[in-house]
Amino acid sequence: MSATEQKSRCPWCLGFPEYVSYHDTEWGVPVYDDQIHFEFLVLESAQAGLSWATILKKRAGYRRAFADFDYQVVAEFPESYVQELLQDAGIIRNVLKIRAAISNAQRFMEVQQEFGSFSNYIWGFVGNKPIQNSLRTMGEALATTPESDRLAKDLKKRGFKFLGSTTIYAHMQATGLVNDHLVDCFRYSQVKT
């Protein structure tokens, strides 16, 4: 058994190598880059009703189809491109989710104008520092929190779509606004600030 396999990890990531790599290198790491925030918003809104594993397997397809998550480009996608995306097996071919990604790119830039960056805006919901949880089992993990409720409500008020509290909490976990690695996971102390 390799050293990588012997490390204690959150059990949700053990399905396939890309999942382990995502857990080990990205999940829970604080993100301050707007383009990365946009990428996760697109991917997480596409996940609604599906598993993260399904989306992770299509991540390269999304990267290609959504202009490497350049929100300025996505915001300008014409209807003809929406129709093209509906034929693209590399992504989830749901017209409402595709249109939501385009609309959310437009809303994303409005937030940037108001707050200087999307990162400034979103980090304000956690007091500008990661929430450090101390989960011992996956059963202790929450699907939503008061912070994700407030953030989702504010995003909805601003016109964002497919980003309810559960989806937003997943975003907060993925982008390090909250550290939900189990305390016995080797990544817990690495992402803890």
Side-chain angles (χ1 to χ4, degrees):
M1 191 179 269
S2 74
T4 300
E5 292 167 335
Q6 292 176 355
K7 290 180 180 176
S8 178
R9 290 182 172 81
C10 301
W12 57 260
C13 76
L14 301 176
F16 56 98
E18 293 87 354
Y19 222 173
V20 173
S21 176
Y22 167 71
H23 168 273
D24 288 2
T25 61
E26 292 183 80
W27 194 74
V29 176
V31 169
Y32 302 95
D33 181 290
D34 276 7
Q35 191 159 343
I36 296 171
H37 274 294
F38 182 70
E39 174 179 0
F40 279 104
L41 289 175
V42 170
L43 295 175
E44 286 148 1
S45 67
Q47 181 193 352
L50 303 168
S51 73
W52 182 247
T54 298
I55 300 303
L56 199 55
K57 289 174 183 175
K58 292 185 177 281
R59 191 176 190 182
Y62 271 93
R63 190 167 280 132
R64 176 189 42 74
F66 284 84
D68 203 27
F69 300 105
D70 183 331
Y71 45 85
Q72 294 176 321
V73 173
V74 174
E76 300 294 326
F77 280 174
E79 179 61 26
S80 59
Y81 191 59
V82 171
Q83 297 308 312
E84 212 176 295
L85 290 175
L86 287 171
Q87 307 307 313
D88 188 338
I91 66 168
I92 304 302
R93 294 176 286 185
N94 177 306
V95 69
L96 296 177
K97 292 178 179 182
I98 292 168
R99 287 197 174 118
I102 298 166
S103 174
N104 288 349
Q106 297 161 359
R107 305 295 76 78
F108 190 89
M109 291 189 295
E110 292 167 2
V111 168
Q112 286 179 315
Q113 288 180 334
E114 184 176 345
F115 291 88
S117 72
F118 188 84
S119 181
N120 290 342
Y121 163 76
I122 199 168
W123 278 97
F125 284 86
V126 295
N128 296 307
K129 64 179 188 171
I131 295 169
Q132 299 296 328
N133 289 327
S134 298
L135 307 178
R136 300 209 172 275
T137 69
M138 293 304 299
E140 295 175 16
L142 300 173
T144 64
T145 62
E147 293 84 4
S148 68
D149 291 345
R150 281 196 308 278
L151 178 51
K153 184 177 180 181
D154 195 70
L155 288 167
K156 184 175 183 177
K157 182 181 77 175
R158 294 172 181 279
F160 284 80
K161 297 177 172 78
F162 276 94
L163 294 172
S165 188
T166 301
T167 301
I168 286 302
Y169 193 64
H171 181 85
M172 293 170 72
Q173 292 171 310
T175 59
L177 280 84
V178 60
N179 180 359
D180 269 354
H181 283 282
L182 298 184
V183 292
D184 66 352
C185 173
F186 85 99
R187 290 292 288 158
Y188 177 75
S189 60
Q190 290 180 357
V191 300
K192 190 172 181 180
T193 56

